[in-house]
Amino acid sequence: MTVFRILRVDLSREHFTEEVIKEDLLKKFLGGRGGLAAYLALKEIPRGGIDPLDPSNKLFIFSGPLSGIATISSSRINVTTRSPLNGVYTHSNAGGNFSYWLRRSGYDGLIIEGKADEPVYLVIKDGEPKLKPAKHIWGGKWTGGASTKIILEENGFPPDETKAGVAVIGPAGENLVKISGIRFSDYERFAGRGGGVGAVMGSKLLKGILVWGGTRDLSKELVDRAKFMKVNTDIVKRIATHDTTKVLHKYGTNVLMNIIQSIGALPHYNFGGTGKLKDVTPVSEEYIKDHYPTEVHGCYNCPIGCTQMPIIKSGPFKFSVTEKYVKQEYENTWSLGPNIGITDPEADLKYQKLANELGLDTISLGNTLAMAVELAKNGKLNLDVDWGGDPGAIEYLIYKIAYRDGVGDDLAEGDYRLAVKYGMPQLFSGSRGQGLPAYDPRALKGFAIAYYTANRVVTT
Ligand code: SF4
């Protein structure tokens, strides 16, 4: 019989419960984002306008039925909760290896509820959960990468994210920034979209989760193993040899930059720019790979391996030693580049790196920065910023947002609330209170329907 095993973690009582969801319910609601997590969230999260940062909100961190078994793009981990950005249901997902390690440890999902008295992190070793103090890694300098490393080290690992599943929040999550996300191993996988899932984790004083060990063999749980393997092998063969896969492996999702630009669908200047931005070649992946050393990586067991991780070694935007690579995607590159008029690849990559380290959703961050520029140009915000203006000013604002410092406190509320606060809600382009991603619906009309009808803004 197929079951879904949940570890329920009550942070208020420091109490763990194991629960099993049986097959009859799983047939109605598959695991992962839209099914079981949505069903349980609707059942368990109190209704009636509770504050999403109240301890009564819950985090459902769920794998899907194929996570850790099948090999094409199935190693996703989903986070479902009530969003602090817009107050309603949301989900956010990331790739990497977390779902594999979670399932191997014996659990298919985690439900995190309540609130700890002091910062803690959760350790699950061979299926045995334990809470450990995290006061020493809470506040200030403890970025996503640094927190991941120390959690690994404290538990006897080298700083190698491929050896265990780790989920952490950065300063933005701790500071309850409404556009913060959760960083997953391995290497800057991010549950970013969805509106502040990192802040929900921060509100519970949960800094991170480490999971490893276990002996569960998922393939033994398949109802018809031989049939599944035959179908899976066939799919893998076809996808692995497909031309699109080859392009994705070589250039990653940012191969879209030139394509979307060529059809006039690349949003820019807070969705206010019309036609094409002059030249986006320097932030296209073809250019970036030609000019910067880039590692190529993939999520657990995925033969596509689309992840591009360039390094900036020198110049004003060079990464520090502990921040070696940036995991880069098309939407991140658009959002923190052309969206705000920036086509300097080094500035763009550095902003992406900062967003990942500080724990911010790159898309919402770019939208919020774009809103800030437009409000400043309208004389509503006293900031010295412009489209494609001083890159240092943008870097400064990113820190301000993550630490809710000064004007950053307003920007930490996201683009919609920022526009409303400064009296220009008409400048907001979004859906369900969240800014739009990297496809202009005026040129790609199908996206307009998707944005309008999605239960939260689409795309990763
Ligand atoms: S490597 Fe790329 S295609 Fe494969 S699961 Fe990860 S993000 Fe998806």
Side-chain angles (χ1 to χ4, degrees):
M1 186 170 73
T2 306
V3 296
F4 190 95
R5 292 186 181 83
I6 292 172
L7 175 67
R8 189 180 289 272
V9 181
D10 183 337
L11 293 168
S12 302
R13 295 191 298 135
E14 296 187 22
H15 187 260
F16 304 102
T17 339
E18 287 184 31
E19 294 169 21
V20 173
I21 304 279
K22 300 249 173 70
E23 194 167 278
D24 51 342
L25 196 57
L26 291 181
K27 279 188 176 157
K28 287 190 194 153
F29 305 105
L30 287 174
R33 87 177 194 196
L36 195 58
Y39 168 76
L40 292 174
L42 192 66
K43 218 170 115 190
E44 294 195 14
I45 296 176
R47 302 194 198 181
I50 66 142
D51 180 351
L53 302 176
D54 185 84
S56 61
N57 195 8
K58 302 188 183 192
L59 278 170
F60 298 80
I61 303 177
F62 278 21
S63 64
L66 295 179
S67 305
I69 307 178
T71 53
I72 296 286
S73 298
S74 61
S75 280
R76 312 292 302 183
I77 189 80
N78 176 74
V79 183
T80 291
T81 189
R82 187 193 283 267
S83 159
L85 189 71
N86 56 18
V88 294
Y89 157 86
T90 194
H91 52 81
S92 190
N93 76 83
N97 62 6
F98 191 90
S99 61
Y100 163 72
W101 283 107
L102 181 66
R103 297 196 85 194
R104 194 184 144 118
S105 81
Y107 300 110
D108 302 297
L110 305 170
I111 301 178
I112 312 286
E113 54 191 35
K115 179 182 179 182
D117 288 339
E118 295 201 316
V120 291
Y121 67 89
L122 169 67
V123 173
I124 305 168
K125 185 191 174 197
D126 297 326
E128 286 296 318
K130 191 197 272 189
L131 290 172
K132 290 193 170 184
K135 224 170 148 184
H136 59 301
I137 50 170
W138 190 272
K141 64 177 183 168
W142 292 101
T143 59
S147 307
T148 298
K149 277 193 187 78
I150 195 157
I151 287 176
L152 283 167
E153 277 166 20
E154 284 180 356
N155 290 279
F157 286 94
D160 179 353
E161 298 183 30
T162 61
K163 301 286 187 281
V166 192
V168 294
I169 53 168
E174 293 175 13
N175 293 319
L176 311 181
V177 172
K178 293 198 169 98
I179 53 172
S180 59
I182 302 172
R183 179 198 197 272
F184 286 93
S185 56
D186 45 358
Y187 301 109
E188 299 186 346
R189 306 286 165 182
F190 228 80
R193 289 255 85 187
V197 297
V200 177
M201 193 155 149
S203 73
K204 298 183 173 306
L205 297 182
L206 181 65
K207 178 69 184 181
I209 303 167
L210 170 69
V211 56
W212 84 100
T215 53
R216 184 179 178 196
D217 182 351
L218 290 166
S219 68
K220 289 201 177 129
E221 294 175 24
L222 293 165
V223 175
D224 187 336
R225 189 171 187 273
K227 197 169 170 186
F228 179 89
M229 289 305 175
K230 187 175 174 308
V231 173
N232 191 43
T233 306
D234 182 44
I235 292 171
V236 170
K237 203 184 292 172
R238 278 196 277 165
I239 293 182
T241 53
H242 197 278
D243 284 347
T244 306
T245 300
K246 290 177 194 157
V247 172
L248 276 174
H249 184 69
K250 186 166 181 193
Y251 292 117
T253 51
N254 195 33
V255 73
L256 284 171
M257 185 64 75
N258 280 330
I259 298 169
I260 301 291
Q261 160 80 343
S262 71
I263 57 173
L266 192 76
H268 52 282
Y269 305 161
N270 197 29
F271 283 80
T274 51
K276 294 179 193 170
L277 196 60
K278 221 169 42 214
D279 184 14
V280 295
T281 307
V283 288
S284 70
E285 203 60 23
E286 293 88 328
Y287 182 97
I288 289 172
K289 284 205 85 162
D290 256 4
H291 290 78
Y292 304 99
T294 302
E295 301 240 331
V296 179
H297 197 58
C299 299
Y300 173 77
N301 224 4
C302 178
I304 298 175
C306 72
T307 313
Q308 309 298 314
M309 306 204 324
I311 313 164
I312 306 292
K313 287 187 167 170
S314 58
F317 295 105
K318 85 169 177 197
F319 302 160
S320 73
V321 177
T322 51
E323 300 173 335
K324 202 167 169 201
Y325 315 102
V326 58
K327 181 188 158 285
Q328 176 219 2
E329 301 282 350
Y330 160 62
E331 293 195 322
N332 309 0
T333 313
W334 157 76
S335 160
L336 294 164
N339 183 32
I340 49 176
I342 297 272
T343 51
D344 172 348
E346 298 191 9
D348 189 337
L349 291 171
K350 180 70 189 251
Y351 301 158
Q352 293 179 56
K353 184 69 199 170
L354 284 178
N356 289 350
E357 286 293 332
L358 296 168
L360 291 155
D361 166 21
T362 45
I363 299 175
S364 292
L365 173 63
N367 287 341
T368 304
L369 291 166
M371 181 65 73
V373 172
E374 197 157 16
L375 287 170
K377 286 175 79 65
N378 278 282
K380 300 280 183 181
L381 258 180
N382 186 20
L383 287 174
D384 189 15
V385 286
D386 202 347
W387 303 125
D390 175 12
I394 294 291
E395 189 175 340
Y396 177 72
L397 273 183
I398 295 174
Y399 280 107
K400 291 267 189 202
I401 293 170
Y403 291 96
R404 280 190 174 273
D405 182 24
V407 69
D409 196 34
D410 283 344
L411 273 66
E413 295 289 301
D415 47 350
Y416 175 66
R417 286 165 198 243
L418 185 68
V420 170
K421 176 162 184 179
Y422 287 91
M424 300 194 81
Q426 70 276 20
L427 298 183
F428 174 69
S429 300
S431 162
R432 319 287 184 273
Q434 184 172 231
L436 297 182
Y439 311 91
D440 195 321
R442 288 164 293 196
L444 292 165
K445 295 192 170 43
F447 270 84
I449 298 169
Y451 295 153
Y452 194 68
T453 57
N455 50 19
R456 66 94 159 137
V457 171
V458 289
T459 87
T460 54

